[in-house]
Amino acid sequence: MIDLTWQWLTEPENWTGPGGVLAQSVTHLRISLVALLAAALVAVPVGLYIGHTGKGRWVAINVAGGFRAIPSLGVLFVAIMLLLPRLQGDLAYELPVLIVLVLLAVPPILSGTYAGVEAVDPAARDAAHGVGMTGAQVLWQVEVPAALPLLLSGVRSAMLQIVATATIAAVVGIGGLGRFLIDGQASRQYEVMAGGAIAVAALALTVDLVLAGVQRLVVSPGLVESRHH
């Protein structure tokens, strides 16, 4: 099995063309990035509001916990049944996939955002208010920069979950690396399934390394050091 998987992974024809690993990786990554952006647009503002005001934390925790318990395939099929009569073309299948991935990604981003803001040293807030900063200025100039380590950790966690779960797009014919899992199982070519799983893991690790690099660039070294002390 290991030999067959290695042979499949090293055959150039499996990497090129519209159905190859590279093309399917691009599709997989596109779906994942769109889902991450949509989840961030929802979760980050809500998380900032909760962390800054202290309101709605209980509701957010319970809603986020509920999202984590939602079965991905079940939501996917329900969304398809509801949207298919109303949409045309690939959007009728791609939008349900994005809905599932967004629901999956919102909890870690939301938790990381409000936890990061809540963890800001109260003395820093008091000093900002003492020099005449408004609430909005305190949020954007003090709390958000200090919250970046946890916020971006939440984004990284969400992205890993999205990349791993985006394989469900292949179930409805959208494509992505899940295509190799579905096709391999249908044809009983288990080396194709194993190769597809390895490709998904490699893509997830690559994306996480890129996001880790971004985090190192945008987060102040002083904040990172303070987290370790």
Side-chain angles (χ1 to χ4, degrees), residues 17-227:
V21 174
L22 293 178
Q24 298 291 13
S25 295
V26 171
T27 300
H28 200 106
L29 187 59
R30 176 183 61 80
I31 294 170
S32 299
L33 289 174
V34 171
L36 181 70
L37 178 60
L41 288 175
V42 173
V44 171
V46 175
L48 292 177
Y49 173 80
I50 293 171
H52 182 69
T53 64
K55 299 177 181 178
R57 190 175 188 274
W58 182 87
V59 175
I61 291 173
N62 284 276
V63 170
F67 282 0
R68 288 190 175 99
I70 292 176
S72 299
L73 283 176
V75 174
L76 177 63
F77 292 133
V78 169
I80 287 175
M81 288 189 293
L82 293 175
L83 295 175
L84 190 58
R86 298 171 175 81
L87 299 175
Q88 300 293 325
D90 289 345
L91 185 61
Y93 298 96
E94 188 164 327
L95 185 57
V97 172
L98 291 174
I99 289 173
V100 172
L101 297 179
V102 168
L103 290 177
L104 185 71
V106 162
I109 299 176
L110 178 62
S111 300
T113 302
Y114 73 69
V117 175
E118 287 181 343
V120 175
D121 188 348
R125 290 193 183 94
D126 293 340
H129 286 299
V131 298
M133 283 189 177
T134 64
Q137 288 174 326
V138 171
L139 173 64
W140 292 108
Q141 297 181 32
V142 177
E143 293 176 337
V144 169
L148 277 179
L150 288 178
L151 191 160
L152 292 176
S153 293
V155 170
R156 288 174 61 187
S157 176
M159 190 58 173
L160 285 174
Q161 295 182 50
I162 289 173
V163 171
T165 310
T167 52
I168 65 173
V171 174
V172 293
I174 297 301
L177 293 172
R179 189 76 266 159
F180 300 111
L181 305 179
I182 300 297
D183 294 345
Q185 183 181 37
S187 62
R188 296 184 180 275
Q189 293 178 294
Y190 299 114
E191 69 276 11
V192 177
M193 294 179 64
I198 291 172
V200 173
L203 181 62
L205 289 174
T206 301
V207 171
D208 190 56
L209 285 174
V210 171
L211 291 177
V214 172
Q215 185 171 350
R216 287 178 62 90
L217 289 174
V218 302
V219 175
S220 169
L223 288 173
V224 176
E225 291 175 4
S226 67
R227 297 285 180 184

